[in-house]
Amino acid sequence: MPRIKKKGQSGAAKNFITRTQAVRKLQVSLPDFRRLCIFKGIYPREPRNKKKVSKRATPSTTFYYTKDIQYLLHEPLLNKFRDHKALAKKIGKALGRGEVGDAARLEKSKPRMRLDHIIKERYPTFIDALRDLDDALSMLFLFANLPSTTHIPPQTIALCQRLCLEFEHYLIVTNSLKKSFLSIKGIYYQATIQGQDILWLVPYKFVQRMTGDIDFRIMGTFIEFYTTLLGFTNYRLYTSIGLVYPPKFDSASDERGAELGAITLEGKSISATPIVANGFEGDDNPTRAIDAQAEADKVAHLQENEEEAGENDQPEWEPEEGNDAIDTFEPVATQDADILPQPQFSSSEAATLFSDLTFFLSRETPRAPLEFILKAFGCKRVGWDLVLGEGSFTSDEKDPSITHQLVDRPNLPANAFPDVPIETDVGNLVKKSASRVPGRTYVQPQWVWDCINQGKLLRPDLYAPGATLPPHLSPWVKPKQGQYDPTAPLAEQEREGEADLHQEELEVEDEAMEGAGLAVQPVDQPDMDALLDQSDVEAGQGMQIDGSDSSGEEDSDAEDQRPDWSAGSADSDVELSDSEQQRLEYQRELEAEAKGLPAPKADSSKKSGKKVVSEARKKADKKRKEQEEELERQRMMLPNRKRKLFDKMQYGNAKKDAEAEALRKKKRKLEKGEKIKGVA
């Protein structure tokens, strides 16, 4: 007879454990258990059936894998937690007896907790660490911009700032930064390091308001782990390109706002360069380093001999010059062909994008992100005013070597500001005016981001001060076939007959507005005079003055006698069917008869416009019916189990097509408004 299985001894009940049971098994407090799980990368799990897993009548809410908790039993950090707990008891007893000196001595002898072994366990290779660097960078850049409070000590903020600046210096030296995007949340950056794409978010430098509903204890645990991870990663990155880590850090210059200028990079000789193993540590064996260097010299000598032999065999062949530029792929010249994803520009192209330019940042521009991006794409000379901090190439705005100046202010005339007297070192007074320097290009900061995303220098006149900027699009959103692409012309995206249909609809809308007595104004620039006149009239009507009751009654009678026939707009006339239009006309006649007014006459312009649009609608409907019939024939050929999937696909495609058509119509309307504004 087989042994009877007991409940909770096998299956899902044995594979999962509750949080309370895990804390009792590890014999630690709940905060220490949370810290340990964050350090080791262990997270709660959701079982399929909580009733089978739970051993109580009321199912628990938090479960963990039993094997994960069993794995934590051998963690060395448990002994550190117990030592800290014992030390806290001793300090409490000393303070209770009034022995402040002993308590301070015990506080200084607090054991330090290191996370080096956890980093090596969680990331056995360096590529694994790079793949998990997205969240670490976002969190560290966030804490680097926070103010110091009781929950966040200033030492933590200073450490985050230094690690972030070291990582930015590596990106500048290697030209690893590829894309960036300005969003509401902050600035997104993407870098490619050893074939791994790393994306992180940097918040804007605004004054932060710290609220009390944030658990900084949990976030501080993550920061403790992420600082260790980024420190190991920076060490490996610096040593891989022959730089000394940690670099020299000038704290006095950093206090004066130097930021990137507070760090000085140093290279090391080949003999002093350690051989980095697969992990994060170097090999200190000098014999192995000498043998490796000898093998490298031998391989290089063999390659030189092969090249010389190849030149002797083929004297007419001439080697081509090295070209690091990557090739682009042209799509097939068909309408239904897929768009081939174009490769990104290489590091050499990124290093020369701004190499020939000298920039000056105005006081109103964000200095930190602009300095980082410009230097990451090859710019060696970036200047700014002294009020933004130290470390600039030049603080003289009139420097003739400056080619581009970034401004974020409206386009004001030359004599908008009076001359300001400035005292020089000699003691003379020099008048400094706000006039522009001739021969210098003035652009807005968005020009820098759009240039690096497209990999080329764009037209600066589109980004002139005070100009309406082009749309800032995300570089990670690639338009798909059939979707609306704001960068491509409408002629390449629209369907057959769509432009004529939209043009006729817009003409009907304009005729309807003119018939109602409304002037057609540009979309972007409303008629301010008309708005002011309207506001004055409304203000006069709203005044309550004695003796003005008769005038108010006359106005109200005039408003009552004024027929209200503008209930149906041009859009509704176009979209409604004939029966619905007849019903609306009949309703208007009844309203006019009730008020004692003559019946309204049909607008000939509306009828003619409706007739033209109906013809375009007939063509579009005919083509749409043909496509529906073809799809229906294809659907009939499918088995029943695939028809539902086919219907869902067609529903999704139709919805996307409708959204794209609405966006194209909106763009045509905006373009028409701009043309009207240009003519006016």
Side-chain angles (χ1 to χ4, degrees):
M1 182 177 180
R3 184 178 298 178
I4 299 176
K5 293 184 179 180
K6 295 183 180 180
K7 185 178 180 181
Q9 298 295 329
S10 62
K14 188 177 181 181
N15 296 334
F16 292 90
I17 186 174
T18 62
R19 186 180 64 182
T20 305
Q21 295 173 352
V23 170
R24 290 178 181 177
K25 193 170 186 179
L26 296 176
Q27 297 181 2
V28 293
S29 61
L30 183 58
D32 291 342
F33 175 74
R34 288 173 177 168
R35 293 186 65 192
L36 187 61
C37 290
I38 291 173
F39 290 153
K40 300 292 288 186
I42 295 175
Y43 303 97
R45 306 293 179 173
E46 186 71 18
R48 294 183 178 179
N49 194 340
K50 286 188 176 181
K51 292 184 178 179
K52 292 183 179 180
V53 174
S54 180
K55 301 177 182 179
R56 304 177 182 177
T58 304
S60 302
T61 56
T62 307
F63 292 92
Y64 292 87
Y65 282 144
T66 306
K67 291 185 178 180
D68 292 343
I69 304 302
Q70 197 77 19
Y71 173 67
L72 292 179
L73 286 173
H74 308 284
E75 176 57 41
L77 289 180
L78 289 175
N79 297 329
K80 293 290 183 180
F81 290 155
R82 295 183 181 115
D83 294 343
H84 283 198
K85 186 176 181 180
L87 183 63
K89 288 184 179 179
K90 293 180 180 179
I91 294 175
K93 290 181 180 179
L95 292 176
R97 292 193 298 264
E99 300 173 354
V100 182
D102 293 344
R105 178 179 54 81
L106 291 173
E107 182 68 23
K108 292 181 180 179
S109 63
K110 184 177 181 180
R112 184 181 179 184
M113 188 167 50
R114 301 181 63 88
L115 306 178
D116 302 351
H117 66 285
I118 296 182
I119 298 295
K120 297 175 184 178
E121 289 176 3
R122 293 186 61 176
Y123 309 108
T125 62
F126 185 62
I127 299 299
D128 297 332
L130 291 178
R131 291 172 181 170
D132 202 17
L133 209 59
D134 298 351
D135 295 337
L137 289 174
S138 299
M139 183 72 77
L140 291 176
F141 273 98
L142 171 63
F143 269 71
N145 293 327
L146 290 180
S148 60
T149 59
T150 56
H151 303 286
I152 309 174
Q155 296 82 3
T156 302
I157 297 177
L159 178 60
C160 294
Q161 291 176 353
R162 180 172 178 178
L163 290 174
C164 293
L165 292 177
E166 291 173 357
F167 183 74
E168 288 182 349
H169 267 288
Y170 171 80
L171 298 180
I172 292 173
V173 172
T174 58
N175 302 112
S176 301
L177 188 65
K178 301 302 179 184
K179 298 177 182 178
S180 181
F181 176 65
L182 300 169
S183 68
I184 299 177
K185 298 180 180 179
I187 304 176
Y188 285 92
Y189 296 96
Q190 182 184 0
T192 303
I193 302 176
Q194 298 186 9
Q196 301 297 323
D197 292 335
I198 303 173
L199 180 66
W200 70 97
L201 175 65
V202 179
Y204 296 112
K205 289 192 175 182
F206 295 142
V207 178
Q208 305 289 342
R209 295 184 59 187
M210 309 302 292
T211 58
D213 56 347
I214 302 176
D215 194 351
F216 286 100
R217 185 170 52 181
I218 299 296
M219 298 182 70
T221 305
F222 277 101
I223 287 298
E224 187 177 357
F225 175 74
Y226 286 152
T227 51
T228 308
L229 172 61
L230 189 58
F232 273 87
T233 306
N234 286 345
Y235 167 76
R236 176 64 182 270
L237 293 176
Y238 271 63
T239 54
S240 63
I241 59 176
L243 295 177
V244 177
Y245 188 83
K248 288 185 177 180
F249 182 77
D250 190 358
S251 58
S253 180
D254 183 67
E255 292 177 357
R256 293 191 293 267
E259 295 187 358
L260 287 174
I263 293 180
T264 305
L265 303 181
E266 292 182 348
K268 53 186 176 179
S269 60
I270 299 177
S271 60
T273 303
I275 298 176
V276 182
N278 194 21
F280 293 94
E281 293 182 346
D283 193 351
D284 298 332
N285 189 357
T287 306
R288 187 176 302 177
I290 295 173
D291 296 341
Q293 185 64 32
E295 291 292 335
D297 296 340
K298 184 178 179 181
V299 173
H301 183 65
L302 290 176
Q303 291 179 355
E304 292 177 359
N305 295 337
E306 291 178 359
E307 292 177 359
E308 292 177 359
E311 291 178 359
N312 295 331
D313 295 339
Q314 298 177 358
E316 70 279 1
W317 177 79
E318 295 181 359
E320 296 181 358
E321 297 181 357
N323 186 9
D324 194 20
I326 54 181
D327 299 330
T328 57
F329 304 100
E330 299 295 337
V332 183
T334 58
Q335 185 176 2
D336 299 334
D338 296 334
I339 299 176
L340 296 175
Q342 301 297 329
Q344 301 176 0
F345 50 90
S346 60
S347 59
S348 62
E349 295 176 352
T352 58
L353 186 61
F354 300 130
S355 60
D356 299 334
L357 307 180
T358 302
F359 287 87
F360 187 85
L361 310 180
S362 299
R363 294 188 300 271
E364 70 276 2
T365 57
R367 173 216 152 180
L370 285 173
E371 180 190 4
F372 168 57
I373 287 181
L374 292 174
K375 290 184 177 180
F377 282 86
C379 184
K380 304 298 182 182
R381 301 171 300 275
V382 182
W384 55 81
D385 198 274
L386 290 178
V387 296
L388 299 178
E390 291 186 353
S392 63
F393 165 72
T394 178
S395 59
D396 185 12
E397 190 175 354
K398 303 297 183 180
D399 192 341
S401 62
I402 299 174
T403 59
H404 290 70
Q405 183 170 349
L406 300 178
V407 295
D408 195 9
R409 61 185 68 171
N411 191 15
L412 300 175
N415 54 355
F417 298 99
D419 295 340
V420 180
I422 298 178
E423 185 176 357
T424 60
D425 298 336
V426 185
N428 300 329
L429 292 179
V430 180
K431 290 186 176 181
K432 181 179 179 182
S433 61
S435 60
R436 292 187 178 181
V437 179
R440 183 180 300 179
T441 304
Y442 290 82
V443 290
Q444 300 187 41
Q446 184 182 330
W447 178 79
V448 179
W449 272 271
D450 291 347
C451 286
I452 66 173
N453 289 335
Q454 299 190 21
K456 61 180 180 180
L457 297 178
L458 303 177
R459 292 172 47 188
D461 57 330
L462 300 177
Y463 301 85
T468 302
L469 295 173
H472 183 56
L473 305 176
S474 174
W476 297 286
V477 178
K478 302 298 181 182
K480 298 180 181 179
Q481 187 70 21
Q483 293 185 355
Y484 173 71
D485 185 7
T487 60
L490 294 176
E492 299 179 0
Q493 311 178 56
E494 62 189 10
R495 293 177 293 184
E496 184 180 355
E498 180 181 332
D500 299 336
L501 181 61
H502 289 176
Q503 185 66 24
E504 292 166 356
E505 291 180 359
L506 293 176
E507 291 178 358
V508 172
E509 292 179 3
D510 296 342
E511 292 176 358
M513 293 177 64
E514 292 177 358
L518 299 177
V520 181
Q521 299 291 340
V523 179
D524 296 336
Q525 297 290 338
D527 191 358
M528 300 303 298
D529 296 336
L531 292 177
L532 291 174
D533 295 339
Q534 184 179 1
S535 62
D536 294 339
V537 172
E538 292 175 355
Q541 290 178 354
M543 295 175 63
Q544 297 291 338
I545 302 176
D546 296 338
S548 61
D549 295 339
S550 59
S551 61
E553 292 177 357
E554 292 177 359
D555 294 340
S556 61
D557 294 338
E559 290 180 358
D560 293 337
Q561 294 178 2
R562 200 173 301 159
D564 185 12
W565 298 333
S566 60
S569 61
D571 292 336
S572 60
D573 293 341
V574 173
E575 299 293 340
L576 296 178
S577 60
D578 296 339
S579 59
E580 189 69 17
Q581 186 67 24
Q582 292 177 2
R583 188 186 65 81
L584 289 176
E585 291 178 359
Y586 181 68
Q587 181 68 21
R588 293 169 188 167
E589 291 177 359
L590 292 179
E591 292 177 358
E593 185 179 355
K595 294 181 180 180
L597 299 175
K601 297 182 181 179
D603 194 355
S604 60
S605 63
K606 290 185 179 180
K607 289 185 177 180
S608 61
K610 181 182 176 182
K611 184 177 180 181
V612 174
V613 174
S614 62
E615 293 178 357
R617 285 285 183 190
K618 287 180 181 179
K619 294 181 181 179
D621 292 342
K622 183 179 180 181
K623 187 174 181 180
R624 180 176 54 82
K625 289 180 180 179
E626 293 178 356
Q627 294 177 354
E628 290 179 355
E629 292 175 357
E630 180 64 23
L631 291 176
E632 186 64 24
R633 284 194 294 267
Q634 295 178 3
R635 182 176 178 274
M636 295 299 296
M637 299 298 293
L638 296 174
N640 293 332
R641 58 194 178 102
K642 292 185 179 181
R643 288 185 183 179
K644 290 185 178 180
L645 180 60
F646 181 79
D647 293 341
K648 290 182 180 179
M649 291 172 57
Q650 295 302 320
Y651 174 77
N653 294 337
K655 189 175 181 180
K656 292 179 181 178
D657 293 341
E659 293 177 355
E661 184 178 356
L663 292 174
R664 288 193 292 267
K665 183 179 179 181
K666 185 177 180 180
K667 186 174 182 179
R668 286 193 181 90
K669 193 172 183 180
L670 292 174
E671 291 179 352
K672 185 178 181 181
E674 291 178 358
K675 291 180 180 179
I676 295 176
K677 181 176 66 175
V679 172

